[in-house]
Amino acid sequence: MKVVNLKQAILQAWKERWSDYQWAINIKKNFPKGATWDYLNLAEALMEQAMIGPSPNPLILSYLKYAISSQFDDFSRELCVKSLLEIMDMFCHRLSCHGKAEECIGLCRALLGVVVWLLTGCACYCERLRELGPSASTEANLRACLERLRELVNSQKNRALVHIARLEDQGQTADVARAINSLIKVTEGLNSLTNQTLRGKLEECISLVKSIPTILSEQSDPPHQSLFPSVHAFIMLEGTMNLTGETQPLVEQLMMIKRMQRIPAPLFVLEIWKACFTGLIESPEGTEELKWTAFTFLKIPQVLLRLKKYPQGEKDFMDDVNIAFEYLLKLTPLLDKADQRCNCDCLSMLLQECNKLSLLSDSNTTNLTSKRAEDREYAPRLKTAENANIQPNPGLILRAEPTVTNILKTVDADHSKSPEGLLGVLGHMLSGKSLDLLLAAAAATGKLKSFARKFIKLNEFPKHISGEGSKSASVRALLFDISFLMLCHVVQTYGSEVILSDPSPSGETPFFETWLQTCMPEEGKTLNPDHPCFRPESGKVESLVALLNNSSEMKLVQMKWHEICLSTPAAILEVLNAWENGVLSVEAVQKITDNIKGKVCSMAICAVAWLVAHVRMLGLDEREKPQTMIRQLMTPLYGENTLQFYNERVVIMSSILENMCADVFQQTGLALRPPMEGQEPIPYRNLLSAKEPIHEALRKQFRSVLWKGWVDSGALHLFESLLHTGGVFWFTNNLIKELLKETRQEWANRVVELLYSIFCLDTQQITLTLLGHILPNLLTDSAHWHSLADPPGKALAKLSVWCALSSFSTHHKGQASARQRKRQREDIEDYSSLFPLDDTQPSKLMRLLSSNEDEPVVLSSPGDRSMSTSLSASQLHTVNMRDPLNRVLANLFLLISSILGSKTAGPHTQFVQSFMEECVECLEQGSRGSILQFMPFTMVSELVKLPALAKPRVVLGITDLTLPLGRRVAAKAISAL
């Protein structure tokens, strides 16, 4: 074999700064066929050059890579291997590249090749030890390879560069496949090592190499705290206001909170249970109490079941649930209070439900149950006499859940021939609190929409009954009336979204849906009493008025109840006009209202619905007679000649009417009806004082919540009222001002957690306001910069990132809750004019940036740089920029980029740094399409100038590594660190 001296060729290549490709081509031209490398000569040349000033490391590495790739896999040639390892010693501790992006990618690829070669060497020496037994020289060679490999991969910078190369070459080169194969061989060879020190070092190296694909998952240690107000408040919000919400969005939102705050799983589950027990204890009696019971015992176990399926592993999660319950057992006062309220051993029932879903093992369930039983021996109890007749709500709810399924099947059956059989089922549902139990169970298990759809179908059913006799007429009237009452009750308890979210399968809009949209009063909904829906054909109205005025009671035969309900408002208007003009006496009006409510309660509801809309249009001095009519219609008529289930129906009717009328009666200071002993007021109504300014109400309530450290259900309803009254901008802006007042780190962090959960009242609109208006105003006006100093500035950055991530995640999955969808939208400003689509047109935001008199911010034009200053991953992914949230995010990152590029430093630049740090901290491993896709690529080079962000993991986190351009930007930034 002829040996080629490469020293002169290398010196020339170095002198002329050839690229690795030019060097390879030139060497090959003069490379005799069949010759081998003189590696000692090569090492000598490279070492010689390393002594001359700062060495061009990528070029050295390219020589080494070329040498390695020249079929040099024969590790028996110890001198050659030693020479190559000595070359590596020259540059491993100071790898860098300040050249073009392509050169930096070349460095990444070369480094990957070196790692693969070293792994191959380790595998080879392990194999030799396994086959030939212990050998001092083989162990020395293995140790030499290990030391270089450890030095390379121990550096996060090097691991980041290898990670980029791995993504760059995936499926294109053999390096990745060789690395995987070598890793397998090295792992298998561990058992052949008798030297425990060497084995430990090899295991450490293997672990470091295996960690390269998950480098973005490396996070700082979780904060040392045991309370997480955001989890508690979010569960309170969902249990109080969103029982009907789908389970999966709730699970994803909880997982996002857990990831953003890095909450340990046992404490995370504990916080969920604490919030549930708090909700059980403080919920108002009646429907709200049943809703919380259903949420705790039916919905949350299903939420945990889905959380169990997330990546951490099923067995691990079962252990976490068990630990959470062990912690919960120590909160004896909380459990005792819940037991007193529910009149049962709540924890034991919950443990049984978790055991059924395989969230707890049998042994852990038994252990926890026995511990709670011991504690309960010393717990205060209710008196036996009080206790005896109280059926625990948790037991009733758990029994109601299968009953819902059976009722859905029953209603689905064909009752056209004998509809009487259906009345028995409906009558049973109306008795006591059965309806509320069934509705709560249906809402918590996702069956309420189906339940409502069945009863809409049932409400349409009387249209199709023929063969009208007196008995069938009463059955028809009852089917219509009971289904109408149930549907009204569903709307008032759970919102109209339950009814209106799914279109009717037949394509025709059913009567109840039409009436609900146009006639039924709801919170935040304005009705026009002169709307055509309240004005049917005059002939039908006249005949109804005559019927109500002349008959001693309503006739049932041949009645078309849908038409009667639509005609009732116009008939009531005629009666009211006649009374106000002296044509009718109070007694005559009483007779008419008795006729309306005497048989079919739905007529009274339709009448009062119109009267409420009418009263709202009147002055306070004009409301007396309409309000008297409302009181007359609300008072039950206890006669002998009433239809079946009248007492049960009238209870539901009174509840529906009271909810409809509470607001208009409160305005005049009049009572709707005389107070009754033991009767609870409507919960969460009239929370705002007429005499207190809403700004003061918001401030006082927030300070109260902050002092307590958690948000209760009453506070959430008050916040929602303030949000509805003051509007999104007013609400968000004033709460952000409260945050910026906090100058202590601990309190600022608490404010962030509480505000995040409060903002979940309407995440989408509040996020648009925060990111699109409030932050730009704070960042572009130097008069506000002082307020962004830490700790409140850092806290605001954290809150902004949390809101952006949550909003972006739910927004693109269409997961806005029914509560958020039903609120009327108020676009503070047209986002299209604020942030125009055409990049050449200066947006209002950019004009704000350049309005600073001290130093106008001038963004570089696309021609000034190798790429446009606004080019981001979102544009390469063709994200829809007509979407308001996408537009706001893109412009916020443009603003951040311009701040980084300006020469003015201050609290606003510190805010930007905190914002970006939080973005990286909250990253989900492998999450393509996060909010960082809107960050301009050119911003990366500016960010790494900030010491706190000049970290390889930060660079990997803020660039989209799924894109070739993203990988080049990352490689260039990391290579220069």
Side-chain angles (χ1 to χ4, degrees), residues 361-379:
S361 66
D362 292 343
S363 59
N364 286 339
T365 304
T366 305
N367 177 45
L368 293 165
T369 305
S370 62
K371 285 183 179 179
R372 178 58 188 152
E374 288 175 24
D375 281 351
R376 290 192 85 227
E377 291 295 322
Y378 308 100

Side-chain angles (χ1 to χ4, degrees), residues 30-31 46 135 175 194 209 233 252 344 460 502-503 509 526 542 711 736 746-747 838 886 906:
N30 303 304
F31 197 76
L46 292 176
S135 163
D175 276 348
T194 54
V209 173
E252 290 177 8
C344 66
E460 296 285 297
D502 295 328
T509 305
T526 304
E542 289 170 8
V711 187
I736 294 300
E746 180 188 350
W747 285 86
D838 184 359
N886 292 347

Side-chain angles (χ1 to χ4, degrees), residues 251 254-255 258-259 263-269 272 303-321 359 924:
V251 169
L254 281 170
M255 282 303 295
K258 179 179 182 292
R259 187 176 68 251
I263 306 173
L267 294 179
F268 176 64
V269 177
I272 292 173
V303 167
L304 292 181
L305 186 62
R306 297 203 189 191
L307 287 171
K308 180 182 177 182
K309 294 172 183 175
Y310 273 74
Q312 71 262 42
E314 294 196 6
K315 186 179 184 304
D316 290 344
F317 189 73
M318 287 178 72
D319 292 340
D320 293 335
V321 172
L359 292 166
E924 184 178 6

Side-chain angles (χ1 to χ4, degrees), residues 711-750:
V711 187
D712 59 35
S713 53
L716 285 168
H717 278 277
L718 179 57
F719 280 129
E720 185 172 55
S721 296
L722 288 163
L723 172 60
H724 183 76
T725 305
V728 178
F729 181 81
W730 174 87
F731 182 80
T732 311
N733 194 41
N734 280 288
L735 285 176
I736 294 300
K737 286 178 182 177
E738 293 297 319
L739 166 60
L740 295 176
K741 290 177 186 176
E742 295 302 330
T743 54
R744 288 182 293 171
Q745 186 70 53
E746 180 188 350
W747 285 86
N749 288 339
R750 182 185 287 188

Side-chain angles (χ1 to χ4, degrees), residues 375-393:
D375 281 351
R376 290 192 85 227
E377 291 295 322
Y378 308 100
R381 304 290 179 91
L382 291 172
K383 294 177 183 176
T384 310
E386 296 174 10
N387 228 358
N389 298 321
I390 302 175
Q391 287 196 66
N393 282 334

Side-chain angles (χ1 to χ4, degrees), residues 120-375:
T120 307
C122 290
C124 178
Y125 293 128
C126 284
E127 179 72 13
R128 195 174 298 173
L129 287 170
R130 187 177 66 81
E131 291 177 354
L132 305 176
S135 163
S137 62
T138 306
E139 285 187 1
N141 290 335
L142 176 59
R143 189 179 294 106
C145 282
L146 266 180
E147 285 172 359
R148 273 68 172 196
L149 180 61
R150 185 178 178 280
E151 188 176 351
L152 272 181
V153 297
N154 203 39
S155 157
Q156 191 185 61
K157 174 180 175 178
N158 291 347
R159 292 202 303 277
L161 293 173
V162 171
H163 180 58
I164 293 170
R166 192 180 66 85
L167 295 174
E168 183 75 9
D169 292 339
Q170 215 157 23
Q172 296 179 20
T173 69
D175 276 348
V176 175
R178 287 176 63 206
I180 294 168
N181 190 44
S182 297
L183 263 180
I184 294 169
K185 286 184 177 179
V186 171
T187 307
E188 290 171 349
L190 278 172
N191 296 328
S192 61
L193 290 178
T194 54
N195 185 326
Q196 294 303 313
T197 305
L198 200 56
R199 179 171 179 165
K201 288 181 178 179
L202 184 57
E203 285 175 341
E204 182 187 352
C205 276
I206 291 171
S207 177
L208 282 169
V209 173
K210 284 183 175 178
S211 73
I212 290 173
T214 58
I215 190 168
L216 280 174
S217 299
E218 298 171 11
Q219 291 185 325
S220 53
D221 293 331
H224 299 290
Q225 63 185 90
S226 56
L227 299 175
F228 299 92
S230 56
V231 179
H232 190 286
F234 182 69
I235 291 294
M236 292 298 294
L237 186 147
E238 288 291 312
T240 303
M241 297 181 172
N242 200 26
L243 180 61
T244 57
E246 293 178 19
T247 304
Q248 190 56 33
L250 169 57
V251 169
E252 290 177 8
Q253 187 68 27
L254 281 170
M255 282 303 295
M256 179 162 283
I257 294 172
K258 179 179 182 292
R259 187 176 68 251
M260 288 191 302
Q261 298 186 46
R262 306 189 299 286
I263 306 173
L267 294 179
F268 176 64
V269 177
L270 172 65
E271 207 65 51
I272 292 173
W273 287 132
K274 280 165 58 181
C276 287
F277 277 87
T278 305
L280 282 174
I281 293 164
E282 67 161 31
S283 57
E285 285 187 22
T287 305
E288 293 299 317
E289 183 181 0
L290 293 177
K291 286 163 73 173
W292 259 107
T293 307
F295 182 75
T296 302
F297 289 87
L298 292 178
K299 189 164 187 175
I300 289 299
Q302 290 296 326
V303 167
L304 292 181
L305 186 62
R306 297 203 189 191
L307 287 171
K308 180 182 177 182
K309 294 172 183 175
Y310 273 74
Q312 71 262 42
E314 294 196 6
K315 186 179 184 304
D316 290 344
F317 189 73
M318 287 178 72
D319 292 340
D320 293 335
V321 172
N322 180 52
I323 295 168
F325 275 121
E326 290 280 6
Y327 290 153
L328 188 61
L329 276 171
K330 295 175 184 176
L331 304 177
T332 308
L334 180 73
L335 299 179
D336 289 348
K337 250 188 165 179
D339 287 358
Q340 282 185 0
R341 177 71 193 271
C342 299
N343 190 31
C344 66
D345 185 349
C346 291
L347 186 66
S348 294
M349 295 183 77
L350 209 48
L351 291 171
Q352 293 303 321
E353 289 306 300
C354 289
N355 179 247
K356 287 178 192 173
L357 297 173
S358 299
L359 292 166
L360 277 174
S361 66
D362 292 343
S363 59
N364 286 339
T365 304
T366 305
N367 177 45
L368 293 165
T369 305
S370 62
K371 285 183 179 179
R372 178 58 188 152
E374 288 175 24
D375 281 351

